[in-house]
Amino acid sequence: MIRKLRTGGFHLGMSLVALLWLGPILWVVSMSLRSFDDIAANGVGSLPHSFTLDTYRQAWTDGGQMRALVNSMLVTVPSVLLSLALAAVAAFALARFRIPGRRTILLLMLAGNLLPPQILLIPVNKFSELIGLYDTLWALIAVQVGFGLGFYTFVLHGFMRDLPGEIQEAAMIDGAGPGQIFGRVILPLTRPALAALGALSFTWIFNDLLWAITVLRTDDRMPVTPALLGLQGQFVSSWNVIAAGTVIAAVPTVLVFLRFQRHFVSGLAIGAVK
Amino acid sequence: MTVLAPTESPRQRPAPDRKPSRRRPARRMSPLLVAFVLVPFAVESIWVFWPALQGFYFSLTRWDGLEPPQFIGLDNYAEMAGDSVFRGALLNTVIWLLLFGGLSVVGGFGMALLLQKERRGIGFYRAALFTPVVFSLVVTGLVWRVFYQPDGLADQVLRTIGLEHLIRPWLADPQTALYAVILPALWRQIGYVMVLYLAGLKAIDPALHEAARVDGANGWQRLWNVTVPQLRGVNAVVLSVIVIDSLRSFDIVWALTRGGPYHSSELLSTYMYSTAFQSLRLGYGSAIAVVIFGLALAVILGYLVRAFRED
């Protein structure tokens, strides 16, 4: 009896918590489907009295969310691939070979990622101007790769270090060089870690605001997050259109999350367990 | 971004196997291997290490971004001492660290304890708490902007439960703006901290709990004497994540208030950004960035030193 009550209480309490967490999201989705007149007449807090998808068309074309989404993908996909590729080779060399100073290099690379980015903003902004990349997506890709590398290298290093040494020795006896060992032996075994980091870094880079507004200026080149803030200025009191833009900006990371859920969560938890 | 510790769990670390480095081939370094290390290191150096060093130097200059920077020694730091906006931002950052940090640890740990045992419906609750982690802070900010609108969900709820007199322009009132921004930040962070603690709880050897139970320890005693000490590693990770996230916090404030009204929700990070890129005082902005760096270092080192001493 007491047990039943406790279970009931647990579910009641947790349902409330879940509602608190999901409520604002559901609210924004419902708002994005309401017409302007409905909101004007009934207020933003009311339940929907109308249904329209025109808000999405407005956000998508008039509000420039489509172009912003394209920009975001043009930055995110190459950044993820490039930073994982570079981190993987560095981690491989540092974890599987006795490179002099390998511990120091690894810790230095990690420390670079732990720096508060604020200390880098002004120099990165000026440096991108200096080399003529300011206000191009290239600058954003470069800085995303540079800033993420240390962390990815560190994680992949931990993973590769724990792979058994015998398989590598067997490959070496067969005459394989470091390149072949990396490509044929180590990399395939590192796939779970790569998937976890890939899913995580996709959301990080896609969701970034600070680097984008540090190296970009032109509205047309902005990725989704700054564009969403711009949308707010453009559709000042059209909360339904802003809500639609918000939903559009959230969809890609939600899709990645749903597709890679297991990897994503294990990626976040990497390192919590020492 | 996160801080990390090695990826293996304690139980997967059998001692005799830990010497593979000796068996690891120590042959001459091939040029390919050198490139494997040097190319990524060079990329990080260009976009992180070199800019960081420059950042320290720029903090000693007066610079409008057009003329070359002019060396002025510690003048920027002296100016900071008398800058009331800076002091407010510093205070807000400390409040942010304590409130956002403290509550996300308490909330995340509490939720992890509640949701650690596999039982019916647990997956749904975990997923619900975890969902906001997937969103950007800008999206989070806009979701909550709708929530805080005059006549929005927040006001609606207050009206329903008869607290109408509390209703105010949450984000436009200097009294409430900072806290109105912390709330959505927490909403997003608690799920993240929960995941870290869930992973840590899973790694605790059940035999320890069993032994404590046999010795007659009740639930609370087991929590304090078994669970909490076993989580020390996770605590270090969570603390680093939270300090770094707090000091980095920018997006959510920028999306909700841009530090206003009247700098009431200004953090060091937003003040640094607006000083540098809107007022074009690049030297002074750099000095604020150095302060942020110093704070991050102090908190993390302070904790690590203590953690090591306890060992």
Side-chain angles (χ1 to χ4, degrees), chain A:
Chain A
M1 182 63 190
I2 289 174
R3 195 190 205 138
K4 243 185 195 159
L5 269 177
R6 277 178 74 169
T7 312
F10 171 80
H11 284 292
L12 189 70
M14 282 317 298
S15 303
L16 270 174
V17 171
L19 187 70
L20 228 64
W21 252 254
L22 297 177
I25 302 167
L26 298 175
W27 197 259
V28 164
V29 173
S30 87
M31 171 149 307
S32 74
L33 299 169
R34 296 170 62 189
S35 71
F36 185 75
D37 294 341
D38 173 14
I39 290 176
N42 300 304
V44 287
S46 108
L47 288 169
H49 292 76
S50 59
F51 177 84
T52 176
L53 287 173
D54 196 46
T55 50
Y56 283 88
R57 189 194 56 73
Q58 275 180 284
W60 186 250
T61 43
D62 310 348
Q65 285 292 87
M66 181 180 75
R67 199 185 42 231
L69 211 54
V70 170
N71 292 339
S72 275
M73 295 313 282
L74 284 176
V75 170
T76 308
V77 173
S79 299
V80 170
L81 295 178
L82 200 59
S83 47
L84 286 186
L86 286 174
V89 292
F92 167 70
L94 294 171
R96 309 298 300 186
F97 295 87
R98 304 179 73 181
I99 297 197
R102 57 188 188 278
R103 239 183 105 77
T104 316
I105 296 174
L106 186 70
L107 288 177
L108 202 59
M109 287 184 79
L110 178 68
N113 184 263
L114 298 184
L115 286 175
Q118 283 84 4
I119 190 103
L120 308 177
L121 296 184
I122 293 168
V124 161
N125 170 284
K126 288 296 158 194
F127 180 67
S128 65
E129 262 174 27
L130 185 76
I131 58 173
L133 286 185
Y134 181 70
D135 205 22
T136 67
L137 296 182
W138 296 109
L140 192 51
I141 293 173
V143 70
Q144 291 288 8
V145 171
F147 192 68
L149 259 180
F151 177 77
Y152 307 142
T153 305
F154 190 78
V155 176
L156 292 174
H157 175 273
F159 197 89
M160 290 181 182
R161 187 195 48 198
D162 291 339
L163 297 173
E166 287 76 10
I167 41 172
Q168 183 172 350
E169 278 159 28
M172 285 183 126
I173 290 166
D174 291 346
Q180 283 167 314
I181 295 172
F182 174 70
R184 300 234 179 106
V185 182
I186 303 295
L187 201 58
L189 293 171
T190 314
R191 263 161 75 180
L194 285 171
L197 279 180
L200 268 188
S201 62
F202 182 93
T203 58
W204 282 337
I205 297 172
F206 188 90
N207 286 339
D208 162 73
L209 170 71
L210 193 52
W211 290 120
I213 59 177
T214 299
V215 299
L216 299 176
R217 179 183 46 210
T218 311
D219 284 346
D220 286 358
R221 296 186 189 148
M222 289 292 179
V224 158
T225 30
L228 189 57
L229 290 180
L231 194 70
Q232 233 186 329
Q234 198 182 339
F235 291 87
V236 182
S237 55
S238 302
W239 283 106
N240 51 348
V241 180
I242 295 167
T246 309
V247 173
I248 292 172
V251 163
T253 51
V254 171
L255 289 180
V256 166
F257 171 63
L258 291 178
R259 171 70 183 76
F260 294 99
Q261 193 164 10
R262 202 165 44 84
H263 295 298
F264 190 90
V265 174
S266 69
L268 277 187
I270 289 175
V273 189
K274 220 176 177 171

Side-chain angles (χ1 to χ4, degrees), chain B residues 96-110:
Chain B
W96 187 279
L97 246 171
L98 295 176
L99 217 56
F100 165 85
L103 290 178
S104 56
V105 170
V106 171
F109 184 51

Side-chain angles (χ1 to χ4, degrees), chain B residues 1-307:
Chain B
M1 307 245 162
T2 341
V3 191
L4 244 263
T7 44
E8 84 272 58
S9 83
R11 269 172 293 160
Q12 294 171 316
R13 205 190 279 172
D17 228 37
R18 288 306 299 168
K19 287 191 216 148
S21 58
R22 194 141 306 160
R23 277 187 277 130
R24 218 167 274 166
R27 301 196 316 183
R28 69 196 158 71
M29 295 256 290
S30 74
L32 187 66
L33 279 181
V34 175
F36 274 4
V37 177
L38 280 190
V39 172
F41 194 77
V43 171
E44 195 176 347
S45 302
I46 292 172
W47 294 98
V48 177
F49 299 134
W50 175 234
L53 293 176
Q54 277 183 309
F56 285 104
Y57 171 69
F58 291 153
S59 78
L60 305 174
T61 67
R62 181 181 298 124
W63 192 19
D64 62 2
L66 302 170
E67 306 284 315
Q70 183 192 347
F71 187 83
I72 54 166
L74 295 173
D75 283 10
N76 285 324
Y77 296 95
E79 185 186 336
M80 242 178 234
D83 178 351
S84 63
V85 177
F86 170 81
R87 280 205 303 261
L90 182 63
L91 181 67
N92 284 344
T93 302
V94 173
I95 295 176
W96 187 279
L97 246 171
L98 295 176
L99 217 56
F100 165 85
L103 290 178
S104 56
V105 170
V106 171
F109 184 51
M111 286 300 153
L113 283 179
L114 275 173
L115 299 178
Q116 65 167 324
K117 231 189 303 168
E118 299 297 333
R119 60 204 278 189
R120 192 188 301 222
I122 216 90
F124 171 73
Y125 300 137
R126 281 185 196 157
L129 279 161
F130 187 72
T131 308
V133 181
V134 179
F135 301 142
S136 67
L137 280 158
V138 173
V139 163
T140 305
L142 285 177
V143 168
W144 282 70
R145 242 193 125 100
V146 177
F147 182 81
Y148 284 135
Q149 272 310 291
D151 243 2
L153 199 54
D155 292 358
Q156 207 83 338
V157 170
L158 285 175
R159 195 163 295 134
T160 316
I161 57 175
L163 293 172
E164 279 179 51
H165 59 281
L166 288 179
I167 290 176
R168 58 182 76 215
W170 301 102
L171 292 165
D173 184 337
Q175 298 267 302
T176 53
L178 181 66
Y179 306 97
V181 178
I182 288 183
L183 210 57
L186 270 176
W187 177 70
R188 192 169 174 280
Q189 192 80 358
I190 284 179
Y192 180 19
V193 174
M194 176 190 75
V195 171
L196 297 179
Y197 276 119
L198 277 176
L201 289 172
K202 208 186 268 176
I204 297 177
D205 189 346
L208 291 174
H209 275 283
E210 218 31 70
R213 209 192 310 258
V214 172
D215 289 346
N218 65 28
W220 284 110
Q221 288 170 326
R222 288 203 304 274
L223 178 66
W224 282 115
N225 299 320
V226 179
T227 309
V228 171
Q230 286 288 313
L231 288 174
R232 207 198 275 163
V234 188
N235 285 334
V237 173
V238 169
L239 182 104
S240 320
V241 166
I242 278 173
V243 171
I244 290 170
D245 282 357
S246 299
L247 293 170
R248 276 179 186 176
S249 289
F250 171 84
D251 303 20
I252 188 82
V253 183
W254 209 246
L256 281 171
T257 63
R258 305 217 164 190
Y262 313 111
H263 300 293
S264 59
S265 60
E266 196 84 79
L267 298 181
L268 286 179
S269 61
T270 53
Y271 189 45
M272 182 267 151
Y273 185 85
S274 56
T275 307
F277 296 113
Q278 292 177 335
S279 315
L280 292 181
R281 301 193 56 206
L282 299 183
Y284 195 55
S286 298
I288 301 172
V290 170
V291 171
I292 297 175
F293 171 82
L295 277 176
L297 204 65
V299 177
I300 291 176
L301 284 185
Y303 181 84
L304 288 183
V305 166
R306 235 192 43 191

